[in-house]
């Protein structure tokens, strides 16, 4: 390319290319080319060289504003093997400013609301958003935004709002959300008396604010269990209101079944633990006083495990 340009200049006579600096320009890219800061003119014979000069990079903006001097342009031309005696530069310098735009708080808030809605649905309601500034100045060129949850409690979510420009992090904005959390909680559809085995027809679910998530039971934790106390209609069913549906009760007699091929023996035992269907518990064999492991298979019935 350098050899081509030297030949081009040698055979182009004395025609000159005029580079007229603009006093002030706004750009959207930090990589500044000669065509960004100047009007370039030439005759037809120098059209190829003119186009080449227009695409030469002068500098990369480190800040949002810079002064580009005539000497920088001359040095760039020389570094690209261009005979500067044939280039007429008009003007001493050009002030270059990176074009920016305002990112309003309302736009950030909308981004956050959409993010929370997509991630949590109606399980979280935002009460307030604390950002700080009223607006932020960002590059006019294409930017990308990313939201990341840093940490959360039952009443707050702490967010980092990232702004990227040209693939690089431009700004990180810490944001605090004051929130309310909700969950679907179980309620009694009718009065449930103590000792009743709870069925799906005894309960319904509705959304409530979370105070202590550990107190909220799921459907599988309720259905088939026993009401430990009287539960009134439309009252929430709490964990300590129910107990497992034990088929075997601690310190109660049980039937122990021994199986060995075609042989089946039934003995009397004493349960040393409560047990639900399928659970393995310790049982005392009354006839031998041995403590053995058995599986609960039916009410007050266990099967010996070898």
């Amino acid at each position: 390319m350098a050899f081509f340009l030297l030949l081009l200049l040698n055979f182009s006579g004395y025609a000159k290319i005029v580079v007229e600096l603009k006093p002030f320009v706004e750009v959207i890219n930090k990589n500044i080319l000669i065509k960004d800061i100047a009007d370039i003119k030439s005759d037809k014979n120098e059209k190829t060289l003119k186009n080449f000069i227009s695409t030469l990079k002068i500098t990369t903006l480190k800040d949002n504003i810079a002064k580009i001097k005539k000497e920088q342009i001359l040095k760039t031309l020389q570094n690209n093997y261009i005979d500067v005696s044939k280039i007429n530069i008009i003007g001493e310098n050009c002030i270059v400013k990176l074009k920016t735009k305002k990112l309003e708080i309302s736009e950030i808030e909308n981004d956050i609301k959409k993010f929370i809605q997509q991630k949590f649905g109606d399980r979280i309601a935002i009460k307030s958003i604390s950002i700080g500034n009223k607006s932020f100045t960002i590059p006019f060129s294409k930017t990308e935004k990313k939201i990341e949850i840093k940490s959360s409690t039952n009443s707050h979510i702490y967010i980092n709002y990232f702004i990227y420009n040209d693939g690089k992090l431009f700004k990180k904005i810490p944001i605090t959300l004051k929130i309310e959390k909700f969950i679907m909680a179980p309620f009694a559809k009718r009065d449930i008396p103590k000792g009743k085995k709870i069925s799906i027809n005894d309960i319904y679910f509705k959304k409530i604010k979370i105070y202590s998530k550990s107190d909220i039971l799921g459907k599988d934790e309720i259905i088939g269990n026993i009401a430990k106390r009287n539960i009134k209609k439309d009252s929430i069913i709490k964990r300590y209101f129910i107990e497992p549906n034990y088929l075997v009760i601690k310190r109660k007699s049980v039937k122990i079944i021994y199986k060995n091929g075609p042989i089946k023996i039934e003995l009397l035992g004493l349960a040393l633990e409560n047990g639900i269907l399928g659970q393995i518990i310790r049982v005392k064999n009354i006839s031998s006083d041995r403590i053995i492991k058995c599986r609960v298979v039916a009410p007050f019935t266990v099967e010996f495990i070898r």
Side-chain angles (χ1 to χ4, degrees), residues 2 5 52 56-57 75-82:
L5 289 175
F52 177 73
L56 292 177
K57 178 183 171 182
K75 186 177 180 180
T76 299
L77 295 174
Q78 290 169 339
N79 289 341
N80 285 274
Y81 308 99
I82 296 174

Side-chain angles (χ1 to χ4, degrees), residues 36-89:
D36 295 326
I37 63 170
D39 292 323
I40 307 170
K41 299 176 183 178
S42 72
D43 60 26
K44 293 181 180 179
N45 294 331
E46 298 292 348
K47 187 175 180 181
T48 301
L49 181 58
K50 171 193 170 184
N51 291 339
F52 177 73
I53 289 173
S54 69
T55 60
L56 292 177
K57 178 183 171 182
I58 297 294
T59 188
T60 298
L61 291 181
K62 293 182 179 179
D63 300 312
N64 287 345
I65 192 166
K67 180 189 284 189
I68 297 178
K69 298 181 179 180
K70 179 179 180 178
E71 289 75 15
Q72 287 178 260
I73 299 173
L74 289 171
K75 186 177 180 180
T76 299
L77 295 174
Q78 290 169 339
N79 289 341
N80 285 274
Y81 308 99
I82 296 174
D83 185 357
V84 295
S85 66
K86 296 183 181 292
I87 310 297
N88 182 18
I89 299 178

Side-chain angles (χ1 to χ4, degrees), residues 67 124 157 167 177 184 212:
K67 180 189 284 189
I124 284 182
I157 295 179
L177 308 183
M184 297 301 289
S212 175

Side-chain angles (χ1 to χ4, degrees), residues 22 112 134 164 180 230 258 261:
K22 301 173 184 178
I112 290 171
K134 293 184 178 179
Y164 292 88
E180 287 183 335
N230 293 327
Y258 284 88

Side-chain angles (χ1 to χ4, degrees), residues 14-204:
Y14 296 96
K16 289 186 177 181
I17 293 177
V18 177
V19 177
E20 186 175 355
L21 292 179
K22 301 173 184 178
F24 174 82
V25 293
E26 280 191 313
V27 295
I28 62 172
N29 197 309
K30 288 190 174 185
N31 293 323
I32 308 302
L33 310 181
I34 291 181
K35 67 180 179 180
D36 295 326
I37 63 170
D39 292 323
I40 307 170
K41 299 176 183 178
S42 72
D43 60 26
K44 293 181 180 179
N45 294 331
E46 298 292 348
K47 187 175 180 181
T48 301
L49 181 58
K50 171 193 170 184
N51 291 339
F52 177 73
I53 289 173
S54 69
T55 60
L56 292 177
K57 178 183 171 182
I58 297 294
T59 188
T60 298
L61 291 181
K62 293 182 179 179
D63 300 312
N64 287 345
I65 192 166
K67 180 189 284 189
I68 297 178
K69 298 181 179 180
K70 179 179 180 178
E71 289 75 15
Q72 287 178 260
I73 299 173
L74 289 171
K75 186 177 180 180
T76 299
L77 295 174
Q78 290 169 339
N79 289 341
N80 285 274
Y81 308 99
I82 296 174
D83 185 357
V84 295
S85 66
K86 296 183 181 292
I87 310 297
N88 182 18
I89 299 178
I90 301 174
E92 294 301 316
N93 56 63
C94 173
I95 303 298
V96 180
K97 183 180 179 183
L98 188 67
K99 194 173 182 181
T100 58
K101 60 183 178 181
K102 281 189 176 182
L103 176 63
E104 300 292 345
I105 292 299
S106 59
E107 183 177 342
I108 297 176
E109 288 178 343
N110 287 336
D111 290 341
I112 290 171
K113 289 174 183 177
K114 288 178 183 177
F115 172 80
I116 294 297
Q117 173 63 33
Q118 290 172 356
K119 193 169 184 66
F120 299 104
D122 61 357
R123 289 178 292 152
I124 284 182
I126 298 175
K127 296 180 72 176
S128 65
I129 302 176
S130 177
I131 298 175
N133 293 21
K134 293 184 178 179
S135 64
F136 296 87
T137 300
I138 62 174
F140 189 83
S141 56
K142 184 180 178 181
T143 56
E144 295 179 5
K145 296 171 286 186
K146 180 184 174 183
I147 299 173
E148 181 182 88
I149 295 178
K150 188 167 57 175
S151 61
S152 66
T153 66
N154 274 347
S155 58
H156 291 84
I157 295 179
Y158 302 95
I159 280 175
N160 281 328
Y161 186 97
F162 299 96
I163 301 172
Y164 292 88
N165 179 243
D166 294 331
K168 296 179 180 179
L169 180 62
F170 176 77
K171 189 177 286 291
K172 181 176 79 171
I173 306 169
I175 299 170
T176 300
L177 308 183
K178 190 174 182 180
I179 61 163
E180 287 183 335
K181 288 186 177 181
F182 297 90
I183 194 169
M184 297 301 289
F187 286 78
K189 189 181 291 185
R190 55 178 65 88
D191 287 341
I192 303 174
K194 179 180 177 180
K196 182 183 186 304
K197 183 178 178 181
I198 302 173
S199 72
I200 187 64
N201 296 323
D202 294 320
I203 64 172
Y204 68 94

